[in-house]
Amino acid sequence: MENIKEKIINREVIASTQERKTQLGYIFWYSVTGEVEITRQELREKFEEIGIDEAWLPNEIRPSDAFRRATKEIQRRKMPTSDPNKFLNFLVREVFSDNNSIQRNIVIEVVDQNGKRLQYNPNATVMTLDKKNNDFIIWSEPNNDKARELAKEAEERFKKYLNYYSAQQLRVMISKILASLAPTAVRPNGGVYFVPQNFATELKKLQLLCASLQSEGVAIPLQDTSENRNLVVDKLESELKELLDRCKNLEKTDGVQKAIYKDSIEQAKRLASTYKAYREQLSLEVDKLEDMLNELRFSAVRLTEKIIKN
């Protein structure tokens, strides 16, 4: 049976020297199915087989994250009762967290057909994670069988999620790998990206990783034409302008969390690296982009100074 490394050789994105000369890059998009289940060791083995650096592996799963994921998933809304005009909501609310434990309660709401709250019980069932030994502790009021049943379901999910990554964690992992391939969004809301030709091999590895996760990674060749070059320049300019506007607004705003400043600074660094890759590999030299990039660098420096002052 053909293994993944053989697929990289036999299904190489660029099949000939001629294609290398006429191809600008790829239009790429991906999706991760919600049903995918994989452990860290299984994911590490896939990385090794495909040839992806282990540095891109997600962080090890924290019990607190597994607890929050499991308890969030048991929420239920508008469950019928014996009264056709009344429904039950089983909601999960976090009431306490420190270095030793996390407490989340199943809250029961009685609502009418319009969602108006008629009754409220904030302590129907209490779920606690003892961080010292990862014990999942359940306390439930009498006569709240459904809430207790949901808590037991959360406990079973927790035991599983201690070892299995969520689809969202895998999406974040793939987006980080993609970010290293100098992508430029070709749609205003993202989701579809241009990746330059010189990242073809790494992009193929990312495609194979998506496929190995029973998910999708699609790369469509983009030919090297003046029209397509203009498309790339326009999209990169749009991304630069959007980030520059955001950074300038942050410069004028006080009381913003440092993480927001840092995220914009990191995005500025990424775009600077992307433009450098495009300039070298695609022979792009656009004065307007150069000016915007310099302005973005100065704005990032000012944001850094703002972080230090605060």
Side-chain angles (χ1 to χ4, degrees), residues 156 217 220 229 259 295:
E156 292 305 309
I220 306 298
R229 281 177 172 266
E295 196 173 351

Side-chain angles (χ1 to χ4, degrees), residues 61-69 102 129 131 134 158 162:
I61 299 170
R62 299 189 307 170
S64 57
D65 290 338
F67 177 75
R68 289 188 171 101
R69 177 187 173 192
I102 304 173
L129 173 66
K131 293 183 178 179
N134 293 338
F158 168 71
L162 282 171

Side-chain angles (χ1 to χ4, degrees), residues 179-241:
S180 71
L181 308 183
T184 292
V186 297
R187 289 177 56 193
N189 57 349
V192 180
Y193 304 88
F194 167 75
V195 175
Q197 179 65 34
N198 55 306
F199 291 101
T201 300
E202 296 306 312
L203 184 62
K204 172 51 71 176
K205 292 178 182 179
L206 184 56
Q207 279 186 275
L208 293 172
L209 177 61
C210 290
S212 74
L213 297 173
Q214 292 82 52
S215 299
E216 180 182 59
V218 179
I220 306 298
L222 190 68
Q223 296 306 305
D224 191 354
T225 65
S226 59
E227 182 180 4
N228 286 339
R229 281 177 172 266
N230 288 336
L231 169 69
V232 172
V233 171
D234 288 346
K235 296 303 179 181
L236 184 57
E237 179 182 340
S238 177
E239 196 169 351
L240 276 166
K241 184 179 184 305

Side-chain angles (χ1 to χ4, degrees), residues 61-104:
I61 299 170
R62 299 189 307 170
S64 57
D65 290 338
F67 177 75
R68 289 188 171 101
R69 177 187 173 192
T71 52
K72 179 181 179 181
E73 290 182 355
I74 61 167
Q75 296 187 110
R76 302 289 186 273
R77 292 182 181 274
K78 297 205 81 172
M79 297 188 69
T81 68
S82 56
D83 185 338
N85 297 313
K86 293 182 179 180
F87 301 87
L88 294 177
N89 290 337
F90 293 87
L91 310 176
V92 175
R93 298 289 182 262
E94 187 160 321
V95 297
F96 179 79
S97 177
D98 64 11
N99 292 331
N100 299 312
S101 66
I102 304 173
Q103 179 186 326
R104 295 191 132 195

Side-chain angles (χ1 to χ4, degrees), residues 7 24-25 32 43 66 82 100 120 134-135 143-144 150 171 173 195 202 211 226 228 235 239 241 257-258 269 299:
K7 287 182 181 179
L24 194 64
V32 177
L43 191 56
S82 56
N100 299 312
Y120 182 76
N134 293 338
D135 279 347
N143 303 320
N144 273 325
L150 290 172
R171 290 187 192 100
M173 172 194 73
V195 175
E202 296 306 312
S226 59
N228 286 339
K235 296 303 179 181
E239 196 169 351
K241 184 179 184 305
Q257 293 182 349
K258 288 185 177 180
K269 291 179 180 177
S299 183

Side-chain angles (χ1 to χ4, degrees), residues 16-284:
S16 67
T17 303
Q18 183 62 29
E19 284 183 344
R20 291 189 183 94
K21 292 179 179 179
T22 62
Q23 204 159 290
L24 194 64
Y26 302 88
I27 299 299
F28 177 77
W29 66 87
Y30 69 92
S31 63
V32 177
T33 62
E35 294 76 28
V36 61
E37 295 180 349
I38 191 166
T39 66
R40 184 176 180 81
Q41 181 56 35
E42 290 169 343
L43 191 56
R44 178 182 283 110
E45 290 171 0
K46 290 183 184 299
F47 272 43
E48 182 178 357
E49 188 177 4
I50 296 170
I52 298 175
D53 194 321
E54 280 193 16
W56 294 115
L57 279 171
N59 293 331
E60 293 194 28
I61 299 170
R62 299 189 307 170
S64 57
D65 290 338
F67 177 75
R68 289 188 171 101
R69 177 187 173 192
T71 52
K72 179 181 179 181
E73 290 182 355
I74 61 167
Q75 296 187 110
R76 302 289 186 273
R77 292 182 181 274
K78 297 205 81 172
M79 297 188 69
T81 68
S82 56
D83 185 338
N85 297 313
K86 293 182 179 180
F87 301 87
L88 294 177
N89 290 337
F90 293 87
L91 310 176
V92 175
R93 298 289 182 262
E94 187 160 321
V95 297
F96 179 79
S97 177
D98 64 11
N99 292 331
N100 299 312
S101 66
I102 304 173
Q103 179 186 326
R104 295 191 132 195
N105 290 7
I106 296 180
V107 173
I108 300 180
E109 289 183 339
V110 180
V111 297
D112 63 15
Q113 290 178 323
N114 298 318
K116 180 181 179 181
R117 183 191 293 173
L118 304 176
Q119 291 177 272
Y120 182 76
N121 182 352
N123 301 300
T125 294
V126 177
M127 301 172 292
T128 304
L129 173 66
D130 182 343
K131 293 183 178 179
K132 183 177 181 180
N133 47 24
N134 293 338
D135 279 347
F136 192 113
I137 304 165
I138 299 172
W139 176 89
S140 185
E141 290 181 344
N143 303 320
N144 273 325
D145 293 342
K146 182 59 179 178
R148 182 171 181 81
E149 178 187 324
L150 290 172
K152 294 297 291 183
E153 180 183 333
E155 182 179 18
E156 292 305 309
R157 289 174 180 263
F158 168 71
K159 292 175 182 177
K160 178 179 180 180
Y161 294 163
L162 282 171
N163 299 305
Y164 287 86
Y165 286 115
S166 68
Q168 178 58 23
Q169 287 171 306
L170 297 176
R171 290 187 192 100
V172 171
M173 172 194 73
I174 291 172
S175 70
K176 288 181 177 179
I177 297 175
L178 176 60
S180 71
L181 308 183
T184 292
V186 297
R187 289 177 56 193
N189 57 349
V192 180
Y193 304 88
F194 167 75
V195 175
Q197 179 65 34
N198 55 306
F199 291 101
T201 300
E202 296 306 312
L203 184 62
K204 172 51 71 176
K205 292 178 182 179
L206 184 56
Q207 279 186 275
L208 293 172
L209 177 61
C210 290
S212 74
L213 297 173
Q214 292 82 52
S215 299
E216 180 182 59
V218 179
I220 306 298
L222 190 68
Q223 296 306 305
D224 191 354
T225 65
S226 59
E227 182 180 4
N228 286 339
R229 281 177 172 266
N230 288 336
L231 169 69
V232 172
V233 171
D234 288 346
K235 296 303 179 181
L236 184 57
E237 179 182 340
S238 177
E239 196 169 351
L240 276 166
K241 184 179 184 305
E242 181 181 348
L243 181 58
L244 184 56
D245 289 344
R246 188 200 314 169
C247 289
K248 286 185 174 180
N249 287 332
L250 286 174
E251 287 182 52
K252 302 172 186 176
T253 307
D254 294 321
V256 178
Q257 293 182 349
K258 288 185 177 180
I260 296 177
Y261 290 130
K262 291 179 179 178
D263 178 68
S264 294
I265 292 168
E266 287 303 313
Q267 288 296 322
K269 291 179 180 177
R270 182 187 67 79
L271 273 182
S273 176
T274 296
Y275 177 72
K276 181 180 178 182
Y278 287 16
R279 186 180 60 196
E280 293 175 354
Q281 300 299 326
L282 308 181
S283 301
L284 293 182

